[in-house]
Amino acid sequence: MSDDGITSAKCRILEILSDLDGTDLASIEKWICSQSYKKDLKTKKELQNSQKFLKKIGESLKKLVPFEAEMPTETIVPPAAGDQADCNKHNTYHIDEFLYDEDQVEVLVNKGKVKRNFCLDCNSRNIEKLTFISHSMSRQALQYIFKVLLPNDLESKELMDVGSRLGAVLYGAYYFSNVSKIVGVEINKECCEVQKRIINQYSMDVNRIKIIHSDVMDITDIVECTDIFIINVLDFFVDVEKHKKMWYFFRKHIKQGSYLVTNRSMAETLNGLNIFEEFMDWLTICKPYQLENEIFFDVEDCSELYLYTINKK
Ligand SMILES: C[S@@+](CC[C@H](N)C(=O)[O-])C[C@H]1O[C@@H](n2cnc3c(N)ncnc32)[C@H](O)[C@@H]1O
């Protein structure tokens, strides 16, 4: 680092420290002088490295899928029930969060490739903000799932992403955790092909990561052996009847003690389908296992991620 770089780093550190009172400052000084600071710095760098890998995969995916990241063979329909029932093709825009983080979206907006607003009546200034939705989880959400929510050691565990789409969750599990088996089940064949190409391109260990082209309800035996389920909101992909069927299927086949990670509370999902009361005893919400890791990144946007354990069938 040049002298200018060091001056600028010192300036930024002083800016932060100047906001602290005496007790907090003493605690930070103690941390910086300790071994644990060195260990934390090493972890931070490892996380940054994994993030770089995921970002690179995102860049490769951009070359394999259309800009909107929706496949020609897909029929994606705004939901008729639940908290996203007000979405329609005029007020909603899909931008895949795994492919484009907030900074990248800002670049697209500045270039005019993505609009943030739509006009309520043409040629007027009477505009409304578009609702941005993403069908994939962001890199930040994946980091939170594997580095804060779930336990640190997943070596003996099998994980399934239900509806693995472009594979974001699978790559997150691969680079952020030591989970021994990672299964992506996806009903759309084109999406399966894209995931397989990425696994191949990045020489991932195919004994550890696997894609199954199927309806999840047709692979009961694998569901029954799985320890960790990740389920991103499915509303845009299944109608209300199928959605309900899927939750009855999960209640019947997910084994007791398994973990379930969702990006909307189960109360909200099941209430939207009018079946919440039937499921109340099935789940228990858990506190994050690795809260100490919250020092490594900004977790502000991760409040919609939930961890549950399955109580019984
Ligand atoms: C919201 S996307 C989730 C993407 C991915 N899990 C993530 O979080 O990045 C939901 C995916 O589920 C798939 N899907 C819907 N119903 C399914 C089913 N019954 N079995 C397998 N996949 C399904 C859809 O094709 C879609 O790609």
Side-chain angles (χ1 to χ4, degrees):
M1 197 185 260
S2 65
D3 283 355
D4 278 356
I6 290 169
T7 304
S8 154
K10 282 183 179 172
C11 173
R12 279 179 286 147
I13 291 169
L14 284 174
E15 193 68 43
I16 295 167
L17 297 183
S18 65
D19 275 346
L20 303 179
D21 66 22
T23 322
D24 291 349
L25 189 58
S27 162
I28 294 289
E29 276 173 359
K30 198 170 155 209
W31 173 62
I32 290 184
C33 297
S34 72
Q35 283 302 321
S36 98
Y37 158 77
K38 285 195 180 141
K39 203 171 131 245
D40 290 342
L41 190 58
K42 191 167 161 253
T43 308
K44 171 85 186 166
K45 286 185 176 169
E46 284 164 4
L47 284 177
Q48 283 173 332
N49 252 339
S50 302
Q51 277 288 0
K52 271 188 208 154
F53 250 104
L54 294 191
K55 198 166 182 180
K56 244 177 111 184
I57 292 177
E59 295 307 313
S60 303
L61 279 167
K62 284 180 195 169
K63 296 181 190 140
L64 299 178
V65 300
F67 176 67
E68 298 76 16
E70 292 178 352
M71 299 301 190
T73 50
E74 288 188 297
T75 315
I76 299 174
V77 182
D83 62 342
Q84 291 179 318
D86 57 345
C87 288
N88 60 48
K89 66 177 174 34
H90 303 294
N91 67 13
T92 306
Y93 185 73
H94 176 244
I95 183 103
D96 192 287
E97 284 184 345
F98 186 71
L99 305 190
Y100 300 95
D101 61 23
E102 269 176 34
D103 292 345
Q104 290 168 310
V105 170
E106 196 52 40
V107 171
L108 292 172
V109 169
N110 290 339
K111 282 185 180 165
K113 209 164 172 194
V114 167
K115 303 281 182 237
R116 287 201 187 274
N117 304 298
F118 69 104
C119 174
L120 291 172
D121 44 55
C122 271
N123 292 333
S124 80
R125 294 182 183 187
N126 189 17
I127 54 168
E128 190 68 75
K129 271 196 180 347
L130 278 162
T131 301
F132 281 1
I133 53 143
S134 172
H135 300 320
S136 296
M137 293 212 193
S138 65
R139 293 194 301 273
Q140 196 187 11
L142 294 168
Q143 185 162 268
Y144 186 79
I145 290 172
F146 294 104
K147 290 294 170 192
V148 178
L149 270 190
L150 285 165
N152 174 41
D153 188 5
L154 303 176
E155 191 160 11
S156 57
K157 305 287 185 205
E158 299 197 7
L159 175 145
M160 178 183 287
D161 180 27
V162 176
S164 49
R165 194 161 188 81
L166 306 181
V169 171
L170 312 178
Y171 318 134
Y174 195 93
Y175 291 107
F176 283 135
S177 85
N178 65 348
V179 68
S180 62
K181 192 136 194 118
I182 303 165
V183 172
V185 55
E186 171 55 56
I187 206 162
N188 179 277
K189 192 161 182 277
E190 277 181 294
C191 285
C192 290
E193 279 156 13
V194 166
Q195 295 170 75
K196 284 180 185 164
R197 281 184 71 170
I198 293 292
I199 288 170
N200 186 30
Q201 185 178 338
Y202 284 82
S203 308
M204 291 181 207
D205 176 0
V206 290
N207 293 315
R208 189 173 171 226
I209 183 168
K210 184 175 163 188
I211 309 301
I212 302 175
H213 173 218
S214 171
D215 186 320
V216 67
M217 292 194 285
D218 293 334
I219 52 163
T220 311
D221 49 337
I222 303 176
V223 168
E224 285 178 344
C225 294
T226 298
D227 308 288
I228 304 164
F229 291 85
I230 315 279
I231 307 188
N232 190 339
V233 170
L234 292 167
D235 299 13
F236 279 75
F237 297 90
V238 289
D239 62 25
V240 170
E241 279 321 301
K242 170 110 189 213
H243 204 176
K244 281 189 195 174
K245 263 194 195 162
M246 286 175 80
W247 285 110
Y248 288 125
F249 169 86
F250 291 137
R251 189 176 62 176
K252 186 164 176 208
H253 296 290
I254 295 183
K255 66 182 174 195
Q256 189 173 350
S258 296
Y259 292 112
L260 170 65
V261 176
T262 60
N263 58 349
R264 177 175 62 192
S265 82
M266 285 302 296
E268 219 164 309
T269 295
L270 297 172
N271 264 325
L273 298 169
N274 269 324
I275 53 173
F276 178 57
E277 296 206 347
E278 295 170 58
F279 282 75
M280 267 171 42
D281 296 337
W282 181 56
L283 298 154
T284 303
I285 193 153
C286 302
K287 273 207 274 185
Y289 277 85
Q290 304 181 71
L291 274 175
E292 69 282 5
N293 284 349
E294 284 197 343
I295 59 166
F296 296 118
F297 47 90
D298 182 6
V299 295
E300 215 171 88
D301 292 338
C302 298
S303 59
E304 287 304 306
L305 288 160
Y306 298 86
L307 173 66
Y308 300 89
T309 48
I310 305 301
N311 298 329
K312 60 180 179 192
K313 288 191 181 171

